[in-house]
């Protein structure tokens, strides 16, 4: 499904959760679909099952999935999700850095704003 | 406790695996047992091989004996080998076994591997003619194999590698017997009067079942078999206890217990000391054990043992010094205890009142009482024996550090006391003065108990089968004129009662006075009808139980008046002394000049026959010390009857070669007749 | 679970373990990390019942391990030095194990035989080291142990086999809550698999924590402040003031930039330092290796044997 960066300062469970979150947000895993069991996830990624368990719990706490005992873990409806503060914080961080870099690389403030508008217009329409 | 019980339950799975992977051991065993036990039968033919089966039944087949110890050694080593490397010992101890199970399984596996070929062999032998005879040797083989399996398991518990396992197995097998031998060795060297007597032989052999059964079968004592049987569970328990305490991390090390390393090193040091000291003594470099060899041997073997324990050549450190120093102290203490007799062993003389009986054994007994062992139970006699004991301890030549003098009596004997509280045994071969020993020896010689012992009419001796009379000085019966005399059975009664009267009335003074021998009497006893009740060395019993006749040989002295009278009355005296008339000449020379150059001593030729005959009556000392090297030797030539004599000397007389035999007489330098002889030679 | 309490062991006056405390929760994969000679193998050998401690005890599921047959039947140990019966093939080893372990799973063994593709009839002692390790693994895992103890497990295995091995382990942990205790000095691998870590140093437990907690509690911070912060006594004093309230494990200065290792929750770090208005303020990734190093006090010479 995806690869993990073991050297990142980000804990593995976070990486797994974030990766799954991305798959959910991009629609690869549509709402109502059943996610692999903890066992299957651990085995396929060769990670500690506790880590897999943590990832699912993390996603559950952020509202991306829900678990039905005995049946498994399922992707929740978009409406059931609360706004993802963490995602926002991450994105803001990333954006801040990217924007500063862009500016430092020579782009003028106006160019940066234009670029931003372009993404918003095209990106959201295509990737939402 | 759960874990304690597991020492008696082997693991079926592991047992099966052991037998499977070590199949080579019983296979080789089968080949060996076959060639030692079954092949000889095939080669010689099965019929009429009772002797073969008997040999086996009596455990006299050396191969069988050897297998009884060799295969337990190999099998135990093989099943316990996993303890000798870290990888295998770790693996075995993580598998689902308890230590008890592992130990028990190993024991059972190795016992089975050793016993199976034996069982097959004995079964086959039994079926092809050995029959029920094979049962006992098989049972003994089982006993020996279990005994040594348990023993070698202990060796495996104490060591960490195969080399030390082998060494320690050898030491354990020989330990007890070896200890007895060592005690005997040192005791004999350092303690005056030391003897292990019967104890020595008894325990030295009995402490090693293999030896005992091999050497004494089928006459072994059941008590000892019981001891061996009981030792098996005891040794098993010891091995099990050691296993439960064994540090697995010592796999590969020489020893698994520090205390045993210390003990082993000491044993090697002591053994090395003993052996080297003996070697030095054999090379005439001092006496055992207080010679340089002890120091060299101890130091060398100590260092070697340290190197072996540490598995390194670099043992020259403080710990070695400390350990060596402590051994030195221990050994010095042991030796001092013996050398300075700190336990009072040498000086100990039992109180006569505590002695129930005492026997005198040895050549003293033989010379005085005509038997190799005599027992005294009367208090007066016991008192005299203890007096002699005291003399040996206080006044003998080695104890007073003085030289031997003429007239000293050689006391070569052992004393075996039966005391109120046990036993005591001593043995000496030393000289004491006649003056000091005289009173006691006289008392004992003339005592009722001794005279009863000397009684030749004692029915226990059996009936006389033949009495022959001969000339003295070892002359062969056919070598002289007159020849030997064989009495007819009608005369036995008279003759023997006359002889016995003389023996019973002989006084000590008569006995020790120098006297010539007149006649030699040889009595052969027929003991087919009666079992022997005393004097084992004089009675012989073959292994099939039959008896052979005993001979008593008595030299008749001039003071046996009754005997000589009887001989004269029956016309035998003249005949037996006839040879004296056949004296031809004699040669005389001074033995004290024997080492001089040939031209410095001279041989004198005596032809005065009458003079020679009186020299014969000179008599010799039968008991006390005589320095014969200072005596003069008179060589008397007696004509022999050629027809009856096979080999003989020849001498020329008046141009004719005459067959002669030789009689040697030893004359002290102060003998009056010597002057006359010398004078007559000129 | 596995519990080690006050474990002390000496070998001929050389102390190997000194009051070790180690606890592994059920269903956890615990990594025991330490340099050579820190006592890892000794600890494992005591846990598996080979050695006896001088003081202290090792227990599994509350029962003492030593001489405990029923526990050993539920335990698997793969040591660094392997041992197999001399003449045995893989099949013969398997039949022996089958008789010893009540939990033996023949189907799993058959499946593993295919996956690992090892020769069935050849003597295992003739296999290469790596193949022997695989064989040991196959046999141990087919016994379906509840406790798996591994000493340097992936030494000598190629990456594909390594992954396969971990997959099996991870699967059993997930399916049966198998408890795993691994010792290794390959921190990279441990980082990816263990959920708990214990750092062993000179026979004692230095830190024992959930790996994620460990990682999230320790931060490498790169800061630079306007007034400049070279080394110097007054600046050191100023530094202490500045970071008051934060536990500093390490402080380095390179020119005007300070490199700090701080143990504190992330948000506190951000707020304390952020409040000082730094010119540069970066939270950098910390690897397990660095955590190990800083927790040991930065004694580099000891870490020579560690693979990064």
């Amino acid at each position: 499904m995806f690869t993990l960066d073991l050297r990142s300062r980000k804990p593995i469970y976070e990486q797994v959760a974030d990766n799954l979150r991305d798959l959910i947000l991009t629609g690869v895993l549509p709402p109502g679909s059943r996610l692999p069991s903890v066992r299957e996830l651990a085995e396929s990624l060769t990670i500690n099952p506790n880590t897999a368990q943590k990832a699912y719990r993390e996603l559950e706490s952020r509202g991306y999935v829900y678990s039905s005992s005995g049946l498994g873990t399922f992707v929740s409806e978009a409406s059931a999700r609360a706004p993802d503060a963490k995602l926002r914080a991450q994105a803001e961080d990333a954006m801040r850095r990217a924007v500063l870099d862009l500016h430092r690389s020579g782009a003028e403030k106006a160019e940066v704003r234009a670029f931003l508008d372009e993404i918003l217009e095209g990106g959201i329409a295509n990737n939402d | 406790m759960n874990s304690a019980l597991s020492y008696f339950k082997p693991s079926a799975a592991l047992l099966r695996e052991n037998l499977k992977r070590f199949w080579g051991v019983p296979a080789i065993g089968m080949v060996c047992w076959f060639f030692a036990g079954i092949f000889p039968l095939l080669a010689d033919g099965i019929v009429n091989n009772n002797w073969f089966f008997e040999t086996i039944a009596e455990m006299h087949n050396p191969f069988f004996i050897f297998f009884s110890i060799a295969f337990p050694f190999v099998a135990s080593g093989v099943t316990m080998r996993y303890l000798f490397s870290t990888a295998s010992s770790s693996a075995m101890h993580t598998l689902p076994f308890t230590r008890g199970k592992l130990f028990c399984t190993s024991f059972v596996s190795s016992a089975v591997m050793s016993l199976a070929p034996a069982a097959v062999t004995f079964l086959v032998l039994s079926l092809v003619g050995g029959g029920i005879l094979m049962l006992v040797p098989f049972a003994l083989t089982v006993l020996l194999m279990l005994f040594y399996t348990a023993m070698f398991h202990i060796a495996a518990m104490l060591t960490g590698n195969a080399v030390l396992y082998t060494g320690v197995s050898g030491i354990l097998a020989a330990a007890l017997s070896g200890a007895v031998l060592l005690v005997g060795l040192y005791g004999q060297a350092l303690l005056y009067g030391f003897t292990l007597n019967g104890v020595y032989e008894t325990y030295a052999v009995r402490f090693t079942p293999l030896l005992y059964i091999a050497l004494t079968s089928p006459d072994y004592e059941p008590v000892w078999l019981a001891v061996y049987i009981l030792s098996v569970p005891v040794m098993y328990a010891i091995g099990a206890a050691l296993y439960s305490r064994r540090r697995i991390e010592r796999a590969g090390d020489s020893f698994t217990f520090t205390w045993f390393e210390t003990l082993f090193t000491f044993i090697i040091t002591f053994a090395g000391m003993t052996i080297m000291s003996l070697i030095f003594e054999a090379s005439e470099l001092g006496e055992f054990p207080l010679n340089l060899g002890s120091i060299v041997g101890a130091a060398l073997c100590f260092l070697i043992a340290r190197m072996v324990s540490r598995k390194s050549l670099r043992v020259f450190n403080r710990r070695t010094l400390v350990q060596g120093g402590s051994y030195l102290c221990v050994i010095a203490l042991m030796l001092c205890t013996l050398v300075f007799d700190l336990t009072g062993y040498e000086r100990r003389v039992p109180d006569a009142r505590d002695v129930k009986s005492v026997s005198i054994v040895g050549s003293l007994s033989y010379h005085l009482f005509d038997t190799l062992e005599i027992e005294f139970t009367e208090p007066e006699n016991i008192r005299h024996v203890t007096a002699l004991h005291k003399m040996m301890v206080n006044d003998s030549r080695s104890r007073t550090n003085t030289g031997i003098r003429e007239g000293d009596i050689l006391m070569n004997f052992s004393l075996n006391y039966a005391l109120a509280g046990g036993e005591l045994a001593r043995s000496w071969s030393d000289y004491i003065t006649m003056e000091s020993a005289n009173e006691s020896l006289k008392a004992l010689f003339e005592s009722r108990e001794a005279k009863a012992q000397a009684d030749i009419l004692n029915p226990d001796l059996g009936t006389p089968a033949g009495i022959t009379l001969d000339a003295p000085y070892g002359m062969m019966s056919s070598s002289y004129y007159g020849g030997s005399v064989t009495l007819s059975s009608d005369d036995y009664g008279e003759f023997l009662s006359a002889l016995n009267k003389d023996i019973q009335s002989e006084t000590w003074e008569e006995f020790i006075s120098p006297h010539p021998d007149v006649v030699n009497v040889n009595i052969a006893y027929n003991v087919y009808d009666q079992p022997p009740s005393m004097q084992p060395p004089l009675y012989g019993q073959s292994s099939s139980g039959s008896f052979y006749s005993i001979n008593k040989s008595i030299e008749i002295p001039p003071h046996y008046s009754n005997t000589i009278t009887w001989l004269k009355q029956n016309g035998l005296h003249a005949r037996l002394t006839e040879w004296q008339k056949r004296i031809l000449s004699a040669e005389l020379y001074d033995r004290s000049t024997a080492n001089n150059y040939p031209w410095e001593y001279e041989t004198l030729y005596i032809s005065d026959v009458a003079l020679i005959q009186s020299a014969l009556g000179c008599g010799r000392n039968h008991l006390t010390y005589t320095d014969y090297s200072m005596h003069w030797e008179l060589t008397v030539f007696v004509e022999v009857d050629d027809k009856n004599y096979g080999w003989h000397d020849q001498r020329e007389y008046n141009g004719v070669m005459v067959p002669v035999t030789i009689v040697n007489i030893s004359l002290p330098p102060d003998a009056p007749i010597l002057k006359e002889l010398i004078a007559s030679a000129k | 679970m596995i519990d080690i309490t006050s474990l002390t062991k000496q070998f001929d006056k050389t102390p190997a373990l000194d009051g070790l405390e180690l606890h592994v929760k059920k269903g956890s994969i615990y990594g025991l990390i330490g340099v050579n000679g820190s006592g890892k193998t000794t600890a494992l050998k005591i846990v598996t019942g080979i050695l006896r401690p001088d003081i202290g005890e090792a227990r599994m599921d509350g029962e003492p391990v030593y001489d405990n047959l029923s526990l050993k039947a539920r335990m698997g140990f793969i040591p660094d030095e392997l041992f197999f019966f001399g003449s045995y093939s893989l099949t013969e080893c398997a039949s022996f194990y089958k008789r010893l372990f009540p939990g033996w799973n023949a189907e799993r063994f058959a499946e593993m035989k295919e996956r690992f593709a090892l020769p069935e009839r050849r003597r295992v002692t003739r296999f290469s080291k790596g193949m022997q390790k695989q064989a040991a693994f196959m046999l141990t895992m087919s016994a379906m142990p509840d406790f798996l103890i591994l000493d340097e497990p992936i030494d000598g295995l190629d990456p594909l086999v390594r992954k396969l091995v971990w997959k099996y382990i991870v699967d059993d942990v997930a399916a049966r809550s198998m408890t795993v205790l691994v010792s290794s000095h390959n921190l990279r691998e441990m980082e990816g698999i263990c959920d708990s870590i214990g750092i062993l140093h000179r026979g004692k437990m230095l830190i024992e924590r959930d790996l994620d907690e460990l990682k999230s509690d320790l931060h490498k911070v790169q800061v630079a402040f306007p007034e400049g912060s070279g080394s110097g006594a007054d600046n050191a004093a100023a530094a202490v003031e500045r970071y008051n309230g934060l536990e500093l494990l390490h402080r380095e200065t390179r020119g005007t930039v300070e490199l700090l290792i701080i143990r504190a929750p992330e948000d506190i770090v951000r707020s304390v330092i952020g409040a000082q208005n730094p010119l540069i303020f970066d939270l950098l990734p910390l690897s397990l290796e660095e955590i190990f190093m800083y927790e040991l006090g930065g004694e580099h010479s000891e870490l020579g044997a560690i693979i990064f």
Side-chain angles (χ1 to χ4, degrees):
Chain A
M1 259 189 275
F2 43 80
T3 50
L4 300 168
D5 180 4
L6 297 177
R7 301 219 74 173
S8 153
R9 65 165 286 104
K10 219 192 210 179
I12 299 179
Y13 80 91
E14 259 195 49
Q15 292 183 43
V16 173
D18 287 350
N19 273 304
L20 283 174
R21 176 207 62 196
D22 289 345
L23 291 178
I24 291 171
L25 288 175
T26 53
V28 175
L29 293 169
S33 61
R34 190 179 156 283
L35 292 172
S37 69
V38 165
R39 182 176 170 179
E40 288 163 349
L41 187 65
E43 203 263 348
S44 66
L45 294 176
T46 320
I47 56 168
N48 194 311
N50 294 312
T51 309
Q53 180 84 302
K54 261 196 208 161
Y56 279 3
R57 270 200 228 108
E58 171 78 8
L59 285 173
E60 201 172 353
S61 71
R62 280 149 62 177
Y64 287 96
V65 304
Y66 65 91
S67 61
S68 186
S69 66
L71 295 172
T73 311
F74 299 88
V75 180
S76 57
E77 299 293 331
S79 52
R81 294 170 210 153
D84 195 339
K86 189 160 174 259
L87 184 57
R88 183 176 176 137
Q90 279 176 347
E92 284 176 358
D93 247 346
M95 208 175 146
R96 187 178 301 117
R97 238 174 279 162
V99 164
L100 284 174
D101 283 343
L102 195 54
H103 181 59
R104 288 191 203 121
S105 75
E108 301 279 347
K109 280 192 202 169
E111 281 182 278
V112 174
R113 268 196 216 102
F115 187 59
L116 200 55
D117 285 330
E118 203 186 305
I119 294 173
L120 281 172
E121 294 308 314
I124 289 173
N126 286 339
N127 295 329
D128 210 347
Chain B
M1 267 217 70
N2 217 359
S3 54
L5 277 179
S6 74
Y7 277 98
F8 298 99
K9 289 190 268 190
S11 155
L14 184 59
L15 184 59
R16 189 191 158 125
E17 297 304 316
N18 277 351
L19 294 177
K20 195 170 137 195
R21 61 192 174 115
F22 298 135
W23 64 271
V25 173
I28 293 177
M30 198 61 246
V31 170
C32 293
W33 278 90
F34 175 81
F35 276 104
I38 301 176
F39 184 72
L41 265 188
L42 299 175
D44 286 349
I46 294 175
V47 186
N48 289 334
N49 226 325
N50 271 326
W51 168 85
F52 181 80
F53 290 116
E54 252 181 49
T55 311
I56 293 180
E58 293 180 353
M59 296 294 276
H60 287 147
N61 183 323
F63 293 108
F64 283 19
I65 301 286
F66 175 66
F67 294 160
S68 300
I69 193 173
F71 282 105
F73 167 72
V74 171
S76 301
V78 144
T79 55
M80 278 293 175
R81 210 178 67 171
Y82 70 88
L83 286 172
F84 297 156
S85 100
T86 10
S88 54
S89 53
S90 298
M92 290 301 267
H93 285 93
T94 48
L95 291 175
F97 300 119
T98 54
R99 292 205 179 193
K101 263 199 151 124
L102 285 171
F103 186 80
C104 183
T105 311
S106 167
F107 185 86
V108 173
S109 316
S110 46
V112 167
M113 288 197 283
S114 305
L115 284 171
V120 169
T121 306
F122 278 105
L123 185 65
V124 169
L125 287 175
S126 172
L127 293 174
V128 298
I132 201 121
L133 266 184
M134 296 294 103
L135 194 60
V136 167
F138 176 62
L140 288 175
T141 305
V142 171
L143 173 60
L144 283 176
M145 283 189 163
L146 287 179
F147 183 90
Y148 285 106
T149 301
M151 177 177 275
F152 296 146
H153 269 67
I154 294 180
M157 289 306 103
L158 294 170
T159 54
N161 61 49
V163 172
L164 265 306
Y165 163 72
T166 307
V168 171
S169 293
I171 288 179
L172 283 181
L176 286 177
S177 297
V180 173
L181 289 176
L182 279 178
V183 170
L185 209 57
Y186 279 87
Q188 291 197 330
L190 296 175
L191 286 177
Y192 184 69
F194 181 86
T195 176
L196 276 180
N197 251 350
V199 173
Y200 192 69
E201 288 100 24
T202 308
Y203 291 110
V205 172
R206 280 161 181 69
F207 279 166
T208 302
L210 195 73
L211 280 181
Y212 182 58
I213 290 182
L215 295 176
T216 64
S217 183
D219 299 321
Y220 38 78
E221 294 157 54
V223 170
W224 281 94
L225 278 193
V227 169
Y228 301 149
I229 291 173
L230 284 175
S231 332
V232 176
V234 168
M235 286 196 289
Y236 182 89
I238 293 175
L242 287 172
Y243 195 164
S244 76
R245 280 175 193 31
R246 186 196 169 102
R247 292 181 156 233
I248 304 298
E249 62 263 28
R250 300 255 187 144
D253 287 356
S254 294
F255 300 103
T256 52
F257 295 95
T258 314
W259 58 264
F260 185 71
E261 181 180 340
T262 309
L263 184 63
F264 175 86
T265 310
F266 183 78
I267 290 174
I268 298 294
T269 305
F270 196 85
M273 174 179 110
T274 307
I275 292 172
M276 192 56 86
S277 186
L278 288 171
I279 291 177
F280 267 53
E281 183 178 75
S283 315
E284 308 202 350
L285 292 167
E287 268 182 37
F288 171 84
L290 303 170
N291 58 26
L292 210 59
S294 285
I295 299 175
V296 169
L300 210 63
C301 286
F302 172 67
L303 288 173
I304 291 175
R306 286 288 296 156
M307 287 181 198
V308 166
S309 323
R310 294 278 121 216
K311 298 206 299 183
S312 147
L313 290 175
R314 298 165 57 193
V315 294
F316 299 97
N317 52 35
R318 198 172 147 266
R319 164 147 168 98
T320 301
L321 211 63
V322 168
Q323 197 170 350
S326 61
Y327 288 175
L328 195 66
C329 290
V330 172
I331 291 178
L333 192 68
M334 288 166 72
L335 288 178
C336 282
T337 308
L338 295 178
V339 169
F340 301 113
D341 193 26
L342 297 177
T343 55
Y345 180 94
E346 295 173 348
R347 287 163 285 151
R348 181 166 172 216
V349 181
D351 191 326
R353 292 165 297 183
D354 294 332
V355 180
K356 294 195 291 201
S357 74
V358 58
S359 1
I360 301 181
V361 185
S363 54
L364 183 72
S365 172
Y366 193 66
H367 283 131
L368 259 53
F369 311 110
D370 201 24
T371 163
L372 227 43
E373 178 173 350
I374 183 169
E375 193 185 41
F376 291 106
T377 50
E378 289 180 14
E380 193 53 30
N381 292 332
I382 289 176
R383 196 177 63 78
H384 282 293
V385 172
T386 56
L388 286 174
H389 184 151
K390 212 182 239 152
M391 273 178 240
M392 295 307 294
V393 163
N394 293 326
D395 307 322
S396 62
R397 290 294 164 228
S398 355
R399 298 291 274 176
T400 55
N401 251 319
T402 53
I404 306 168
R405 286 173 223 132
E406 286 267 339
D408 281 348
I409 179 170
L410 173 63
M411 305 285 281
N412 183 346
F413 67 119
S414 303
L415 290 177
N416 294 324
Y417 291 94
L419 301 171
E423 284 174 8
L424 190 78
R426 292 290 186 272
S427 181
W428 306 274
S429 180
D430 206 348
Y431 290 89
I432 56 176
T433 61
M434 196 49 161
E435 295 94 59
S436 47
N438 198 61
E439 183 195 330
S440 292
L441 288 176
K442 175 180 164 79
L444 290 170
F445 182 82
E446 293 175 1
S447 71
R448 198 178 32 172
E449 284 186 299
K451 290 298 186 191
Q453 175 59 59
D455 186 348
I456 54 170
L457 297 176
N458 185 339
D460 281 345
L461 287 170
T463 53
I467 302 181
T468 38
L469 308 170
D470 264 306
Y473 306 119
M475 278 201 281
M476 288 176 65
S477 60
S478 54
S479 68
Y480 55 90
Y481 285 91
S484 69
V485 175
T486 309
L487 292 183
S488 90
S489 47
D490 303 328
D491 294 327
Y492 291 174
E494 267 184 34
F495 176 73
L496 288 178
S497 64
L499 181 56
N500 203 35
K501 235 192 230 155
D502 286 327
I503 290 173
Q504 295 296 312
S505 61
E506 186 176 17
T507 65
W508 172 248
E509 287 77 10
E510 284 173 337
F511 178 71
I512 62 171
S513 63
H515 57 263
D517 301 326
V518 177
V519 158
N520 179 45
V521 176
N522 195 62
I523 311 171
Y525 288 92
N526 184 338
V527 290
Y528 283 99
D529 352 281
Q530 284 144 31
S533 58
M534 52 191 167
Q535 304 166 38
L538 292 185
Y539 280 86
Q541 183 175 0
S542 79
S543 52
S544 51
S546 56
F547 295 87
Y548 49 80
S549 61
I550 304 305
N551 286 317
K552 257 191 183 289
S553 183
I554 303 172
E555 306 279 345
I556 308 291
H559 54 263
Y560 275 18
S561 46
N562 292 298
T563 311
I564 293 178
T565 306
W566 189 91
L567 287 173
K568 285 192 175 145
Q569 282 172 349
N570 287 274
L572 297 172
H573 184 261
R575 189 165 146 199
L576 290 164
T577 50
E578 168 84 22
W579 63 275
Q580 293 183 13
K581 301 203 178 78
R582 297 294 173 179
I583 292 174
L584 295 171
S585 67
E587 283 175 8
L588 182 67
Y589 97 99
D590 183 357
R591 284 208 199 98
S592 64
T593 61
N595 289 327
N596 295 4
Y597 293 109
W599 57 85
E600 283 181 356
Y601 66 79
E602 52 176 330
T603 310
L604 303 172
Y605 297 90
I606 318 289
S607 45
D608 184 343
V609 175
L611 200 58
I612 297 171
Q613 283 176 346
S614 17
L616 288 175
C618 224
R620 61 193 173 101
N621 179 351
H622 289 72
L623 199 60
T624 55
Y625 176 74
T626 308
D627 187 358
Y628 286 106
S629 68
M630 298 306 286
H631 282 208
W632 289 66
E633 183 172 316
L634 185 71
T635 309
V636 180
F637 297 101
V638 182
E639 188 182 352
V640 298
D641 181 355
D642 194 350
K643 294 196 296 291
N644 300 325
Y645 207 29
W647 175 91
H648 49 77
D649 273 329
Q650 295 226 5
R651 278 183 77 88
E652 194 181 325
Y653 288 95
N654 300 326
V656 181
M657 295 304 280
V658 183
V660 294
T661 189
I662 295 170
V663 172
N664 287 311
I665 311 283
S666 200
L667 298 169
D670 56 357
I673 198 129
L674 196 58
K675 288 202 189 68
E676 295 180 54
L677 284 166
I678 295 171
S680 84
K682 294 192 170 51
Chain C
M1 66 286 202
I2 303 175
D3 291 299
I4 292 180
T5 44
S6 312
L7 213 61
T8 306
K9 177 85 180 158
Q10 270 198 356
F11 296 118
D12 280 340
K13 309 224 171 97
T14 316
L17 295 176
D18 184 12
L20 177 69
E21 298 275 338
L22 195 159
H23 307 276
V24 184
K25 295 202 234 1
K26 185 171 155 101
S28 160
I29 302 181
Y30 185 110
L32 186 60
I33 303 177
V35 297
N36 288 335
S38 55
K40 292 195 311 268
T41 306
T42 309
L44 293 189
K45 284 194 171 175
I46 295 178
V47 161
T48 48
I50 299 170
L51 303 180
R52 247 170 133 176
D54 298 333
I55 307 174
E57 210 177 27
R59 287 171 178 259
M60 288 186 186
D61 277 358
E63 282 180 52
V65 167
Y66 185 73
D67 235 22
N68 190 328
L69 203 153
S70 52
L71 265 187
K72 286 190 185 174
R74 295 163 53 205
M75 180 191 76
F77 179 44
I78 303 182
D80 198 17
E81 278 176 58
L82 295 170
F83 170 75
F84 300 95
F85 286 154
S87 52
Y88 278 22
S89 69
L90 198 53
T91 319
E92 287 173 302
C93 289
S95 65
F96 178 44
Y97 268 63
K98 182 166 153 197
R99 281 190 211 98
L100 284 183
F101 291 94
W104 179 261
N105 184 333
E107 287 95 33
R108 165 176 271 194
F109 185 71
E111 188 225 317
M112 285 177 115
K113 257 201 299 192
E114 278 195 47
R115 297 280 284 271
F116 284 99
L118 293 174
E120 279 187 55
R121 301 264 166 82
R122 209 202 302 177
R123 288 183 180 202
V124 182
T125 41
R126 292 275 169 86
F127 290 2
S128 70
K129 265 253 169 71
M131 284 159 72
Q132 282 190 2
K133 257 234 153 98
Q134 292 174 45
F137 183 73
M138 279 169 61
L139 291 165
T140 310
M141 291 299 282
S142 300
M144 310 298 275
D146 291 333
F147 302 96
L148 184 64
I149 321 283
L150 307 166
D151 195 356
E152 308 288 351
I154 35 94
D155 245 5
L157 296 176
D158 64 61
L160 281 171
V161 175
R162 254 188 246 168
K163 198 134 205 172
L164 193 55
V165 164
W166 284 124
K167 278 196 194 292
Y168 272 106
I169 294 177
V170 141
D171 202 37
D172 270 18
V173 170
R176 306 182 293 117
S177 295
M178 180 171 75
T179 309
V180 183
L181 173 56
V182 192
S183 112
S184 177
H185 46 42
N186 188 326
L187 296 176
R188 204 182 299 161
E189 203 107 8
M190 302 284 260
E191 213 167 333
I193 278 293
C194 299
D195 53 73
S196 312
I197 289 286
I199 300 182
L200 199 56
H201 180 54
R202 296 217 185 120
K204 277 190 157 78
M205 185 61 76
L206 197 62
I207 313 172
E208 184 181 75
R209 294 273 281 289
D210 184 280
L211 185 55
D212 288 334
E213 271 180 45
L214 193 64
K215 278 189 148 184
S216 63
D217 263 5
L218 222 59
H219 308 275
K220 191 190 311 191
V221 176
Q222 203 172 263
V223 285
F225 291 96
E227 53 273 38
S229 61
S231 53
D234 55 328
N235 281 315
V240 170
E241 264 231 31
R242 185 179 292 138
Y243 307 123
N244 193 18
L246 295 177
E247 188 183 343
L248 271 191
L249 287 188
H250 180 77
R251 179 171 174 266
E252 246 178 74
T253 49
R254 300 170 187 160
T256 52
V257 180
E258 275 180 74
L259 188 71
L260 308 165
I261 308 290
I262 305 176
R263 184 188 287 153
E266 186 179 330
D267 46 348
I268 296 187
V269 171
R270 283 187 187 279
S271 62
V272 167
I273 296 183
Q276 316 263 339
N277 294 315
L279 271 183
I280 299 175
F281 177 32
D282 291 314
L283 281 165
L284 300 176
L286 256 182
S287 70
L288 187 54
E289 161 210 337
E290 288 172 296
I291 295 175
F292 187 27
M293 201 166 73
Y294 290 120
E295 288 289 356
L296 279 182
E299 290 155 40
H300 251 285
S301 55
E302 294 192 37
L303 309 180
I306 298 187
I307 301 169
F308 300 129

